[in-house]
Amino acid sequence: MLPPPPAAAVEEIAAFGRFAASRGWVPATAGNFSRRIDARHVAVTRSGVDKGAIGAADVATLALDAPIPAGISAEAPLHLARYRTDPAIGAVFHVHTVAATVLSRLDERAGAVRTEGYEMHKALAGYASHESVVEIPVFRNDQDTVALADEIEARLGRDARVPGFLLAGHGLYAWGANAAEARRHVEGLEFLLACHLEERRLRCTQH
Amino acid sequence: MLPPPPAAAVEEIAAFGRFAASRGWVPATAGNFSRRIDARHVAVTRSGVDKGAIGAADVATLALDAPIPAGISAEAPLHLARYRTDPAIGAVFHVHTVAATVLSRLDERAGAVRTEGYEMHKALAGYASHESVVEIPVFRNDQDTVALADEIEARLGRDARVPGFLLAGHGLYAWGANAAEARRHVEGLEFLLACHLEERRLRCTQH
Amino acid sequence: MLPPPPAAAVEEIAAFGRFAASRGWVPATAGNFSRRIDARHVAVTRSGVDKGAIGAADVATLALDAPIPAGISAEAPLHLARYRTDPAIGAVFHVHTVAATVLSRLDERAGAVRTEGYEMHKALAGYASHESVVEIPVFRNDQDTVALADEIEARLGRDARVPGFLLAGHGLYAWGANAAEARRHVEGLEFLLACHLEERRLRCTQH
Amino acid sequence: MLPPPPAAAVEEIAAFGRFAASRGWVPATAGNFSRRIDARHVAVTRSGVDKGAIGAADVATLALDAPIPAGISAEAPLHLARYRTDPAIGAVFHVHTVAATVLSRLDERAGAVRTEGYEMHKALAGYASHESVVEIPVFRNDQDTVALADEIEARLGRDARVPGFLLAGHGLYAWGANAAEARRHVEGLEFLLACHLEERRLRCTQH
């Protein structure tokens, strides 16, 4: 059995959880969060935990190359796959927001939610101007998260252009080099989705 | 007269009340909450109480098989009927949200709000996959809550598929084996209703 | 010059202000609140005050039958007129919400926002059932608040059926026998307006 | 190198940041704030800072007539230009809200978002009645903020009628004689934008 994760990693995860809960982004114990510990280990939230009140006992250490023990979030394979594919990733956060859930269903067939011309693009690492297009990939949802992780990694690869994706009818994943950047990417993508959803609503008024 | 409810039951009810108030789900002293004490007794909120600031004096002990005294929420019969029908129920929470109120009116004639394919279905006990349909029953509203309780129990029975229902133009009821599960069901159903309402709004943009 | 208002009246006003600010209902120092002191005096908020941080110096004592001194909210005449007309009124609260502002403009010509069949009607004193109609009066806005008060009182009278009204493009007024009831009426009316606005939005999807 | 800004200026900036963060108006470290120190100097937030948790190290002193050092918000030129053009300006706050972002894109070609008849107009310095029109200028967005500042100042001049403007797809700028007035203008303009956006949504239901 692996030792518990470092207190600093637990606190970074818990702090993001408190923030996400205050925004209503982790209803009904939904969502799961992880933080890289070293090249071969990550800290991941256990399943069924109130994400606004995470304590040390609610986060477990997992090895990137070992089977996942019981009691860990069923979506841990999606987290581990991201860390294995891209060694620069230091944190992965997954939340359930209304905008992410609704848009992921609307654009599942298109395969991406596409935004253009927003200043908020610059919140995403690698985007230096609003004169750009952001395509947030949308994947089908699947309870077999090992198979799903393979599908996702095959499309994203090591240098994903956008630091996040949507699962259809499910929610938003985002990551970063550390917890602060992963949070910035969650907030930036959620803001883009909220604006885009609002524009989709308004289309009915423009004709 | 019955002894006051145990402090732990009062605190579980008060904690849910603070959470619901912070979300704006119990406006104008609306909503009512209960917690099973033992096989024959439950703790229920009194009427007219600010649900964000519940104290010991705001919760009363009721017997499942005795008449309800004055000063208790007028909807106590709906709570008691649920506990009598299903001995596995440990807590019942009722809130007033905009999504629940509006959708319950739209779908009163249909008899249910129907959602399909959401990951959030898994927040409901008994749902193991998003590949499922959730039908949240909608009942007509009635000030005669004793008669209404009979009607509801006749439809729901001991093994209700969905751990909650809507009263038309009124709000959402949900329950669980304990306070934590009842809260998870309230949050999960409310999230589903919020997403579904958003999709109903967007239909006007899709043709 | 009149003595400052009793500390209890100031605290009731300040507590409502903190609540209203937490909901975003008093943006840009908007809104004004009052509390009856005795048959001939009321405590009223001064103008330009952050309503989320009201202190003793931000509330003044006014006589119901004397001219209003400088520095008091320009809408004080609307408050005083209500207290003069109806001796049972103990508190008057005015807030600016998006739903109240938008609906008051849409229904100014109709003269009222009309809701039917909501359980939340019962939050309003005098309504015992959801099987009822609530007509929230809408008045034109006017910077001459003395003239406006006359117009409002002529329509409302001593036994206003609904404990509140809207000013077109301006916001919601509500009152009650005391601060708790006035808050309950603000919250109940705002909830009704939020539901009704949502239903107006959805009409485009129903044809 | 210039001395750090006075503690009072830092605290005024940090207090606004906490407020804006609580409203969700500065997602993903977006937004930037400034406060005049004297006729020739201002305090400005550094780039990449969590605007809900600003400390002394996160605010720098800039001279109005000197080049901007590294690490300062890329939008500092827009702030400095406002202070240079209008000596009465004491604070400039910039936030990213959904309503501001969406409406600025819808009305970029029109050059302004236009509202009429709202009581909230009176939150803006110089507006004494709701019987007025407010035209919030909309400018195209540009990563060359020095060129953009020139364009903005050429249109606004020393006596801008409205104490704020929008950058298309970007967000809201507002200012005032001091931090309290700048905050009132941000809140007032955002409320007007939220109401106006709601009315644009409702147009589809009115035909």
Side-chain angles (χ1 to χ4, degrees), chain B residues 90-181:
Chain B
V92 179
F93 295 153
H94 165 50
V95 297
H96 287 222
T97 74
V98 171
T101 303
V102 169
L103 285 172
S104 66
R105 285 159 65 97
L106 277 180
D107 287 345
E108 178 176 5
R109 238 177 290 176
V113 176
R114 188 180 182 282
T115 63
E116 186 171 356
Y118 288 99
E119 179 74 8
M120 189 57 77
H121 288 181
K122 291 168 62 188
L124 309 180
Y127 286 80
S129 170
H130 66 284
E131 295 182 290
S132 53
V133 169
V134 165
E135 294 204 329
I136 310 170
V138 181
F139 295 92
R140 68 185 180 86
N141 195 14
D142 195 327
Q143 296 305 319
D144 180 347
T145 50
V146 173
L148 185 54
D150 286 347
E151 192 178 323
I152 291 169
E153 296 308 322
R155 179 168 165 195
L156 295 183
R158 187 160 169 168
D159 297 300
R161 180 85 176 101
V162 170
F165 62 80
L166 299 170
L167 293 180
H170 184 150
L172 169 68
Y173 272 80
W175 51 85
N178 50 45
E181 190 178 74

Side-chain angles (χ1 to χ4, degrees), chain B:
Chain B
M1 198 174 133
L2 295 165
V10 172
E11 176 48 27
E12 286 185 314
I13 285 173
F16 180 76
R18 289 189 296 269
F19 167 73
S22 77
R23 285 282 186 259
W25 294 350
V26 285
T29 79
N32 34 73
F33 317 137
S34 63
R35 180 78 176 91
R36 188 188 286 274
I37 297 172
D38 58 36
R40 293 170 48 206
H41 300 88
V42 296
V44 184
T45 46
R46 294 184 191 281
S47 58
V49 172
D50 175 355
K51 299 306 184 298
I54 290 172
D58 301 324
V59 184
T61 302
L62 298 190
L64 288 183
D65 57 3
I68 297 171
I72 306 301
S73 166
E75 294 171 46
L78 301 180
H79 290 250
L80 301 193
R82 281 276 73 209
Y83 290 106
R84 278 194 300 257
T85 298
D86 183 353
I89 291 177
V92 179
F93 295 153
H94 165 50
V95 297
H96 287 222
T97 74
V98 171
T101 303
V102 169
L103 285 172
S104 66
R105 285 159 65 97
L106 277 180
D107 287 345
E108 178 176 5
R109 238 177 290 176
V113 176
R114 188 180 182 282
T115 63
E116 186 171 356
Y118 288 99
E119 179 74 8
M120 189 57 77
H121 288 181
K122 291 168 62 188
L124 309 180
Y127 286 80
S129 170
H130 66 284
E131 295 182 290
S132 53
V133 169
V134 165
E135 294 204 329
I136 310 170
V138 181
F139 295 92
R140 68 185 180 86
N141 195 14
D142 195 327
Q143 296 305 319
D144 180 347
T145 50
V146 173
L148 185 54
D150 286 347
E151 192 178 323
I152 291 169
E153 296 308 322
R155 179 168 165 195
L156 295 183
R158 187 160 169 168
D159 297 300
R161 180 85 176 101
V162 170
F165 62 80
L166 299 170
L167 293 180
H170 184 150
L172 169 68
Y173 272 80
W175 51 85
N178 50 45
E181 190 178 74
R183 173 177 158 171
R184 198 183 77 224
H185 288 158
V186 170
E187 290 189 72
L189 290 168
E190 168 60 18
F191 183 82
L192 288 170
L193 293 167
C195 289
H196 184 67
L197 181 57
E198 190 59 51
E199 296 194 352
R200 296 277 272 259
R201 275 186 207 135
L202 283 162
R203 276 184 209 170
C204 65
T205 75
Q206 304 309 311
H207 56 65

Side-chain angles (χ1 to χ4, degrees), chain C residues 57-77:
Chain C
D58 302 323
V59 184
T61 301
L62 299 190
L64 287 184
D65 58 2
I68 297 172
I72 306 301
S73 167
E75 295 172 46

Side-chain angles (χ1 to χ4, degrees), chain A residues 78-192:
Chain A
L78 302 180
H79 290 251
L80 300 194
R82 281 277 75 209
Y83 289 105
R84 278 194 301 256
T85 298
D86 183 352
I89 291 178
V92 179
F93 294 154
H94 164 51
V95 296
H96 287 223
T97 74
V98 171
T101 303
V102 169
L103 285 171
S104 66
R105 285 160 64 97
L106 278 180
D107 287 345
E108 179 177 4
R109 239 177 290 177
V113 177
R114 188 180 182 283
T115 64
E116 185 170 356
Y118 287 99
E119 179 74 7
M120 189 57 77
H121 288 182
K122 289 169 61 187
L124 309 180
Y127 286 80
S129 169
H130 66 284
E131 296 182 289
S132 53
V133 170
V134 165
E135 295 205 328
I136 310 169
V138 181
F139 295 93
R140 68 185 179 89
N141 195 15
D142 196 328
Q143 297 305 319
D144 179 348
T145 50
V146 174
L148 184 56
D150 286 347
E151 192 177 324
I152 291 169
E153 296 307 322
R155 177 167 165 195
L156 294 183
R158 187 161 170 167
D159 296 301
R161 180 85 177 101
V162 170
F165 63 80
L166 299 170
L167 292 181
H170 184 151
L172 170 68
Y173 273 81
W175 52 85
N178 50 45
E181 189 178 74
R183 173 177 158 170
R184 199 182 79 224
H185 288 160
V186 169
E187 289 190 72
L189 290 168
E190 168 60 18
F191 183 82
L192 288 170

